[in-house]
């Protein structure tokens, strides 16, 4: 089979091929006594099982008992998720993968997180909500930097009229949409005023990936949206910008790539998942269920 035929076959099987990649969450059948022991002792030794650092596990038994836990590579134990006493800027996880994603996003010791999934699975919304909590509620980071690759018009956004900020408004609109939603659901009666307060605080910045090169970003929380459109070299360049105390969140869907030079296997996001899954500073969750709406789920599943 020639190279063109192989590439065509890979593209025609995008959903199936990516489904075989590391997901960061596994399901494991076990005994009810093990699950009872997990709850009683606050953890369980992961005997006879090989886990990657920060991998999550959903344990179930024939008696229908269950537990969600995270592997601690230092203690070799399956441990409970962080306790969440309230919603996060008006939202709560809607499924178990989202619960694991929130746990990853809020952990101080995990400095690189990737959230991968189809449209509507909550990748960007969860990342932004947790970023707002960490920066505005807990002061764990100085600021939020949100960036997206500018793919439809190439690397250079100079083709658009206006200042850099005016050009970015169009490309960052999905981020603003998520921010609007969070401000409206966070308990405030005036969502627009909350959004204005956030934008005027100086603690959130929108930037094109093009302009990150050369910067040194310390004590920042960086969200790279649509990261599947980055090359492995671009991804390395971005991650190498992270200074002391910085956390990076990557979100994307390798089955929807706008960069014609990349595919499901060669993009920077898939490269990160494959190369870094054995490192303790990294955590990954593949989000499977579309939660945006029944209509969105129908379209994604059937079209």
């Amino acid at each position: 089979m020639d190279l063109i035929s192989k590439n065509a076959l890979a593209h025609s099987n995008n959903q199936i091929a990516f489904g075989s990649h590391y997901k960061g969450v596994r399901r494991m059948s076990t005994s009810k006594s093990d699950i009872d022991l997990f709850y009683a002792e606050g953890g369980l030794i992961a005997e006879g099982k090989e886990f990657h650092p920060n991998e999550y596990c959903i344990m179930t038994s024939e008696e229908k008992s269950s537990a969600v836990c995270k592997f601690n590579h230092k203690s070799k134990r399956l441990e409970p998720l962080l306790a969440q006493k309230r919603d996060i800027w008006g939202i709560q996880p809607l499924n178990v993968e989202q619960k694991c994603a929130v746990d990853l996003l809020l952990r101080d010791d995990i400095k690189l997180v990737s959230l991968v999934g189809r449209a509507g699975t909550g990748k960007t919304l969860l990342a932004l909500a947790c970023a707002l909590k960490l920066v505005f509620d807990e002061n764990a980071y100085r600021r939020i930097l949100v960036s997206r690759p500018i793919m439809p018009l190439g690397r250079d956004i100079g083709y658009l009229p206006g200042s850099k900020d005016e050009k970015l408004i169009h490309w960052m609109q999905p981020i603003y949409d998520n921010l609007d939603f969070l401000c409206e659901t966070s308990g405030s009666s005036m969502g627009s005023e909350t959004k204005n307060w956030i934008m005027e605080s100086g603690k959130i910045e929108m930037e094109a990936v093009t302009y990150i090169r050369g910067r040194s970003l310390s004590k920042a929380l960086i969200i790279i949206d649509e990261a599947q459109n980055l090359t492995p070299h671009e991804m390395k360049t971005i991650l190498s910008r992270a200074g002391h105390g910085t956390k990076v969140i990557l979100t994307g869907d390798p089955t929807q790539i706008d960069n014609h030079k990349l595919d499901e296997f060669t993009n920077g996001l898939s490269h990160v998942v494959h190369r870094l899954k054995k490192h303790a500073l990294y955590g990954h969750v593949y989000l499977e269920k579309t939660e945006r709406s029944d209509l969105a789920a129908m379209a994604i599943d059937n079209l």
Side-chain angles (χ1 to χ4, degrees):
M1 185 180 292
D2 59 32
L3 180 59
I4 294 177
S5 299
K6 287 181 180 179
N7 286 340
L9 180 61
H11 281 286
S12 68
N13 291 289
N14 268 352
Q15 295 288 349
I16 297 174
F18 191 75
S20 66
H21 291 187
Y22 174 61
K23 295 186 176 182
V25 181
R26 72 169 69 179
R27 284 167 168 78
M28 183 176 73
S29 297
T30 189
S31 65
K32 184 177 183 300
S33 60
D34 276 348
I35 294 177
D36 291 341
L37 183 64
F38 170 81
Y39 283 116
E41 298 191 356
L44 187 70
I45 297 294
E47 293 182 330
K49 300 289 184 180
E50 292 293 330
F51 288 90
H52 291 298
N54 306 315
E55 185 174 3
Y56 289 85
C57 180
I58 304 167
M59 297 189 295
T60 58
S61 71
E62 292 182 354
E63 294 81 2
K64 306 300 182 184
S65 58
S66 63
V68 183
C69 45
K70 185 183 80 71
F71 179 67
N72 184 323
H73 73 287
K74 292 182 179 179
S75 65
K76 306 300 180 185
R77 285 165 55 88
L78 295 170
E79 298 179 345
L81 275 58
L82 297 173
Q84 295 297 325
K85 298 181 180 179
R86 51 170 295 179
D87 59 52
I88 303 170
W89 278 70
I91 67 169
Q92 294 181 345
L94 298 178
N95 56 57
V96 67
E97 284 85 9
Q98 285 193 358
K99 183 181 294 187
C100 295
V102 167
D103 189 74
L104 266 185
L105 291 167
L106 296 180
R107 288 185 180 268
D108 293 335
D109 59 327
I110 301 175
K111 298 302 183 184
L112 175 61
V113 172
S114 61
L115 302 182
V116 169
R118 303 180 302 174
T121 51
K123 306 179 296 294
T124 306
L125 183 65
L126 291 174
L128 188 57
C130 290
L132 292 172
K133 175 181 173 67
L134 291 170
V135 172
F136 289 92
D137 298 346
E138 300 182 359
N139 294 315
Y141 300 90
R142 293 195 188 104
R143 58 186 171 133
I144 302 168
L145 173 64
V146 187
S147 186
R148 309 176 88 219
I150 309 299
M151 289 311 305
L153 293 181
R155 303 274 185 238
D156 187 356
I157 60 175
Y159 293 102
L160 290 172
S163 66
K164 185 183 77 169
D165 290 340
E166 290 171 334
K167 298 170 189 176
L168 280 175
I169 288 176
H170 302 286
W171 300 112
M172 293 297 178
Q173 193 57 52
I175 305 300
Y176 288 116
D177 291 343
N178 279 292
L179 186 58
D180 287 339
F181 179 80
L182 291 170
C183 291
E184 291 170 1
T185 59
S186 62
S188 172
S189 59
M190 297 183 179
S192 60
E193 290 189 7
T194 302
K195 180 183 175 182
N196 290 337
W197 171 74
I198 290 172
M199 299 306 297
E200 293 172 1
S201 68
K203 293 185 177 182
I204 186 166
E205 178 184 359
M206 308 290 180
E207 184 63 282
V209 167
T210 307
Y211 295 100
I212 291 181
R213 181 188 295 271
R215 299 182 63 176
S216 181
L217 303 165
S218 301
K219 201 64 176 177
L221 203 157
I222 304 172
I223 300 174
I224 307 296
D225 197 32
E226 302 292 348
Q228 77 276 2
N229 285 317
L230 296 171
T231 68
H233 175 72
E234 289 170 331
M235 184 68 75
K236 181 177 181 179
T237 299
I238 291 170
L239 295 181
S240 66
R241 298 301 91 205
H244 179 73
T246 285
K247 180 167 186 164
V248 180
I249 303 167
L250 309 172
T251 68
D253 178 5
T255 67
Q256 293 188 354
I257 296 178
D258 300 311
N259 188 337
H260 68 277
K261 296 181 180 179
L262 301 175
D263 61 25
E264 172 200 358
F265 306 97
T266 61
N267 70 88
L269 182 56
S270 294
H271 190 69
V272 164
V273 176
H274 177 68
R275 296 292 296 272
L276 300 184
K277 61 187 177 183
K278 296 182 180 180
H279 291 263
L281 289 178
Y282 172 67
H284 170 71
V285 169
Y286 176 67
L287 299 163
E288 298 192 27
K289 186 177 180 182
T290 298
E291 299 285 2
R292 180 171 293 158
S293 68
D294 292 338
L295 175 58
M298 180 188 71
I300 291 168
D301 289 336
N302 296 282
L303 297 180

